[in-house]
Amino acid sequence: ASINRFTRANDLPLEDVSAWIARDAGDDPVLWTTNARLVSRVELPPGDFQSPKAHGRNDLMHYRRVAWLAAMKASQFEVATLFDAVGITADEIAEWRERNALYQFVMRGDLRRFDSVEQNVVYVFSRQQAEYLRRRLGGTTRHVPGVVQDAPVSTKPAVVGERMSPSERKAAQRWRDKMTAAGVSDVRLLPGGDRIDARMVEIVNITFARKAA
């Protein structure tokens, strides 16, 4: 769930996902949000839109369906700058900027009624967001395939293992050390990481995940 994913992808993720949400919700109103510059791309009634930072609102508790389609990921520059300046990791930035705002927004609806027995549905764009909410609120998660392109990176790349050259192994170790220090799990989030060729990205990310496991 990032600005690049929402604005540069060929599969029109906001349009397609929001249109699916509208069909799934039927006649039930959906409290929804996205970034201000992306509002016109969402296929949901504009009257149900609220800003992502809707903290303190008590007038939205009639909504039993909430859709969070906002992108708040930190850029590579922000991750590197904040880590160098004050030691804040990428995960800590996400907790402060994205997850807290997501939780606050979701809690504007019927979930705010702590005595309510109504079923609530929350739509999010990424699995990480869904799992975060499940940990905070309970309930179950459901993955809906086929709405947009949804192809995870292969976990069995041919480039990893004995086929790596000695120089590739050394380079991968250097990048993994930087990832550990910065608290990121994708080498492309590091300064200069977006300039690494696809083969090295795969080597670094897969070996990092394996060592972390």
Side-chain angles (χ1 to χ4, degrees):
S2 67
I3 288 293
N4 284 346
R5 180 70 179 92
F6 287 157
T7 60
R8 299 182 184 179
N10 294 326
D11 58 332
L12 302 175
L14 279 182
E15 291 87 336
D16 290 347
V17 168
S18 58
W20 183 90
I21 291 173
R23 293 193 299 271
D24 185 68
D27 294 332
D28 290 344
V30 180
L31 176 66
W32 64 275
T33 191
T34 191
N35 305 69
R37 63 175 175 166
L38 303 176
V39 170
S40 63
R41 304 179 64 167
V42 175
E43 303 289 337
L44 288 167
D48 296 316
F49 168 81
Q50 291 293 331
S51 166
K53 299 294 181 66
H55 297 184
R57 295 288 297 270
N58 291 316
D59 58 329
L60 305 170
M61 291 189 287
H62 58 286
Y63 286 99
R64 289 180 287 111
R65 293 176 184 264
V66 178
W68 173 271
L69 301 174
M72 292 189 171
K73 283 191 180 300
S75 68
Q76 296 175 19
F77 175 79
E78 289 175 299
V79 170
T81 301
L82 286 172
F83 182 76
D84 289 342
V86 291
I88 297 176
T89 67
D91 192 61
E92 289 170 331
I93 296 172
E95 181 72 26
W96 159 65
R97 176 187 290 182
E98 177 184 337
R99 297 171 194 154
N100 179 61
L102 164 62
Y103 176 76
Q104 292 287 341
F105 189 83
V106 167
M107 292 301 295
R108 295 306 104 195
D110 182 73
L111 286 173
R112 194 166 186 78
R113 304 178 191 271
F114 293 102
D115 59 346
S116 174
V117 295
E118 297 292 334
Q119 181 184 38
N120 282 248
V121 178
V122 180
Y123 305 96
V124 293
F125 191 81
S126 71
R127 184 177 65 182
Q128 290 84 359
Q129 293 169 344
E131 292 176 345
Y132 167 78
L133 288 178
R134 182 180 55 78
R135 290 194 298 270
R136 290 290 302 267
L137 300 172
T140 59
T141 58
R142 174 191 172 199
H143 173 228
V144 183
V147 181
V148 294
Q149 294 177 16
D150 187 17
V153 176
S154 170
T155 58
K156 297 181 180 180
V159 298
V160 176
E162 295 299 321
R163 301 182 187 183
M164 284 189 290
S165 68
S167 62
E168 285 177 328
R169 289 194 182 91
K170 291 181 180 178
Q173 183 60 58
R174 288 195 300 271
W175 283 112
R176 288 196 300 269
D177 290 344
K178 292 180 180 179
M179 291 166 67
T180 299
V184 300
S185 58
D186 189 328
V187 68
R188 291 167 293 188
L189 293 176
L190 294 173
D194 57 337
R195 296 191 294 272
I196 304 174
D197 63 58
R199 171 182 168 84
M200 182 53 69
V201 167
E202 193 174 28
I203 288 174
V204 175
N205 282 349
I206 295 299
T207 56
F208 182 86
R210 287 180 179 176
K211 288 180 179 294

